[in-house]
């Protein structure tokens, strides 16, 4: 490999949210344990990113900074070359993250008690963006089938016809179940959206992280008619591990829709002035595409290792197919543990710090989400601890 995907840093004293959460949950955790929870990566940054930022720091002033033409050109070129997604500079609205963008879009496109449709189990901030703003949470649960998930189109069409429901908040690729939606699935969904005059909020923050053999279709490219009612959420932050720099690219083709979104940002004084964020985005989009390709290769290798581990040793524990994201969805219901007992088992018996399935809503209880974006040795050591804990659990059950 050209880049270093073998080393990592102890981030327990660097302010890392997930490392601090791990220590909060288990004060005496072995310092060698690495958390595999929150979706950021445990890889060291490549030298050309760090060197590029250092060079930029030598020449810049870190005052209020807006994106310049080189940043927009990097975004536009990357979208075209990576996703065949043709966008224009004026379509791009920068926010400090996809989650704030989701909150803002729901606030400006709906009124209190309007319905927002989601497809659980799904990324848990979706629930917050709806519930905390007084909108009605409308669930169209995914259908679990053959080691993967499908959309319940019949239920979605029924919900879309209800006058109070105004928005579909969609995750593509889907977090946590790892689906990359096929084009025909998106076409069917898009037709229902158009026929029932819904808005589409498409969270595609993981769309650069597609596993070998799968292809991602940017939802709004299905048709111009759909694009006119869509807000597409993207960012370099998941793909290149830049979440701490707080910059996202929200793509809105429809001018009137974009004006409404921007007005909502003004109402909350939300303006992005991330000098380092814009520069980092420019660097990664221009110069680190090969790093991203190597990263995806390692994630797929980690996926295969875990799947093989369970198939050989604990076939009753089901690993769901991973098509996109670096987040593996694993079904532990065969252990017969309630959600609290499963969480306690992972933390206190296996010293595994994952994202519990129940936080993703309906259908998530009994599952765990494993972050694969870590060096292979971290994944191996994590499975060794889990193996020992599962053997002890089985022994206790036999006594």
């Amino acid at each position: 490999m050209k880049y270093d995907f073998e080393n990592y840093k102890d981030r327990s004293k660097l302010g890392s949210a997930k490392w601090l959460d791990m220590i909060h949950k288990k004060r005496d955790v072995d310092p060698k344990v690495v958390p595999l929870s929150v979706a950021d990566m445990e890889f060291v940054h490549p030298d050309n990113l760090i060197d590029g930022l250092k060079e930029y720091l030598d020449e810049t002033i870190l005052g209020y900074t807006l994106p310049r033409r080189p940043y927009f050109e990097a975004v536009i070129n990357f979208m075209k070359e990576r996703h065949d997604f043709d966008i224009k500079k004026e379509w791009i609205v920068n926010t400090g993250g996809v989650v704030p963008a989701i909150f803002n879009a729901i606030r400006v496109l709906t009124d209190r008690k309007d319905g927002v449709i989601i497809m659980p189990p799904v990324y848990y901030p979706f629930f917050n963006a709806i519930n905390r703003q007084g909108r009605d949470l409308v669930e169209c649960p995914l259908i679990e089938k053959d080691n993967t998930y499908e959309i319940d189109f019949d239920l979605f069409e029924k919900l879309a016809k209800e006058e109070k429901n105004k928005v579909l908040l969609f995750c593509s690729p889907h977090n946590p179940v790892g689906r990359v939606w096929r084009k025909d699935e998106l076409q069917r969904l898009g037709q229902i959206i158009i026929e029932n005059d819904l808005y589409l909020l498409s969270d595609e923050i993981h769309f650069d992280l597609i596993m070998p053999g799968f292809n991602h279709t940017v939802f709004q490219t299905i048709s111009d008619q759909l694009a006119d009612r869509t807000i597409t959420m993207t960012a370099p932050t998941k793909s290149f591990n830049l979440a701490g720099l707080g910059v996202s690219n929200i793509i809105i083709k429809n001018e009137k829709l974009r004006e409404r979104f921007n007005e909502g940002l003004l109402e909350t004084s939300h303006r992005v002035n991330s000098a380092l964020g814009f520069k980092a985005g420019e660097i990664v989009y221009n110069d680190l595409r090969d790093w991203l390709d190597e990263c995806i290769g390692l994630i797929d290798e980690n996926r295969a290792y875990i799947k093989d581990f369970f198939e050989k040793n604990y076939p009753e524990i089901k690993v769901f197919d991973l098509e996109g994201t670096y987040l593996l969805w694993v079904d532990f219901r065969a252990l017969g543990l309630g959600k609290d007992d499963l969480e306690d088992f992972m933390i206190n018996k296996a010293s595994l710090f994952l994202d519990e399935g129940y936080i993703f809503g309906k259908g998530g209880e009994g599952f765990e989400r494993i972050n694969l974006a870590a060096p292979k040795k971290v994944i191996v050591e994590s499975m060794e601890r889990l193996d020992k804990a599962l053997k002890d659990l089985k022994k206790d059950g036999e006594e």
Side-chain angles (χ1 to χ4, degrees), residues 199-212:
Y199 288 108
L200 169 63
L201 306 182
S202 188
D203 174 3
E204 304 194 28
I205 194 171
H206 289 274
F207 75 156
D208 299 325
L209 296 153
I210 306 302
M211 295 302 105

Side-chain angles (χ1 to χ4, degrees), residues 7-218:
N7 294 302
Y8 67 92
K9 293 185 177 181
D10 179 342
R11 295 200 283 156
S12 60
K13 294 180 175 61
L14 298 177
S16 166
K18 69 179 178 182
W19 283 71
L20 292 176
D21 183 62
M22 172 179 72
I23 294 167
H24 173 74
K25 288 177 177 176
K26 191 174 184 181
R27 295 288 180 183
D28 62 345
V29 64
D30 189 319
K32 294 180 181 179
V33 171
V34 177
L36 300 176
S37 53
V38 176
D40 64 18
M41 299 179 177
E42 297 299 336
F43 302 128
V44 295
H45 288 300
D47 290 341
N48 39 352
L49 171 59
I50 301 303
D51 292 344
L53 289 176
K54 286 178 178 178
E55 182 179 336
Y56 178 64
L57 284 169
D58 287 338
E59 67 184 31
T60 196
I61 299 296
L62 297 177
Y64 296 118
T65 305
L66 299 177
R68 300 176 301 140
R69 187 175 68 179
Y71 174 79
F72 288 115
E73 289 176 347
V75 174
I76 291 167
N77 291 336
F78 184 86
M79 295 292 179
K80 174 61 179 174
E81 294 173 22
R82 195 89 184 181
H83 297 287
D84 197 23
F85 185 24
D86 288 300
I87 64 173
K88 297 179 180 179
K89 173 181 176 294
E90 57 266 27
W91 298 4
I92 304 170
V93 180
N94 296 116
T95 66
V98 162
V99 171
I102 292 170
F103 269 78
N104 183 62
I106 289 174
R107 188 175 63 256
V108 301
L109 296 180
T110 63
D111 296 318
R112 294 182 70 83
K113 296 301 180 182
D114 281 347
V116 179
I117 303 169
I118 62 170
M119 296 184 178
V122 73
Y123 183 48
Y124 53 89
F126 281 19
F127 298 90
N128 296 336
I130 299 166
N131 291 329
R132 292 184 180 180
Q133 298 191 105
R135 277 57 176 174
D136 279 357
L137 180 73
V138 181
E139 296 184 293
C140 180
L142 297 175
I143 299 169
E144 181 186 336
K145 183 179 179 181
D146 298 332
N147 220 49
T148 187
Y149 285 83
E150 297 179 353
I151 294 168
D152 189 334
F153 288 101
D154 292 336
L155 177 56
F156 177 66
E157 186 165 20
K158 178 182 176 182
L159 295 173
K161 290 180 183 298
E162 294 182 15
E163 188 176 349
K164 73 158 190 169
N165 296 332
K166 308 296 185 184
V167 170
L168 169 63
L169 176 53
F170 191 66
C171 200
S172 180
H174 194 283
N175 171 15
V177 308
R179 272 299 315 274
V180 172
W181 305 109
R182 299 188 312 272
K183 189 171 184 178
D184 64 290
E185 292 173 302
L186 297 177
Q187 288 171 328
R188 185 175 176 186
L189 206 57
Q191 191 59 39
I192 297 171
I193 290 168
I194 292 167
E195 289 174 355
N196 293 281
D197 199 26
L198 297 181
Y199 288 108
L200 169 63
L201 306 182
S202 188
D203 174 3
E204 304 194 28
I205 194 171
H206 289 274
F207 75 156
D208 299 325
L209 296 153
I210 306 302
M211 295 302 105
F214 297 93
N215 294 295
H216 176 85
T217 299
V218 176

Side-chain angles (χ1 to χ4, degrees), residues 342-374:
L342 179 59
E343 185 171 10
D344 179 74
F345 170 79
M346 290 295 173
I347 293 171
N348 294 308
K349 304 299 183 184
S351 285
L352 270 183
F353 298 84
L354 313 173
D355 273 331
E356 302 301 317
Y358 66 81
I359 70 174
F360 300 99
K362 189 171 292 184
E365 190 169 322
F367 288 77
E368 298 282 346
R369 192 189 75 171
I370 303 176
N371 184 337
L372 299 176

Side-chain angles (χ1 to χ4, degrees), residues 297-310:
L298 180 63
I299 290 165
D300 192 47
E301 185 179 326
N302 287 344
R303 172 207 60 80
Y305 177 84
I306 291 180
K307 186 174 181 63
D308 183 66
F309 166 80
F310 283 112

Side-chain angles (χ1 to χ4, degrees), residues 233-275:
M233 320 280 189
T234 80
T237 50
K238 283 287 182 278
S239 310
F240 299 97
N241 206 33
L242 304 176
L245 295 180
V247 62
S248 294
N249 302 304
I250 312 306
I251 314 300
I252 312 174
K253 179 183 178 181
N254 184 307
E255 184 178 359
K256 291 183 178 178
L257 185 58
R258 190 165 64 248
E259 287 175 357
R260 290 176 69 181
F261 185 86
N262 277 321
E263 282 295 319
L265 295 179
L266 289 173
E267 289 171 5
T268 56
S269 297
H270 184 100
R271 190 173 186 179
V272 182
N273 297 289
S274 178

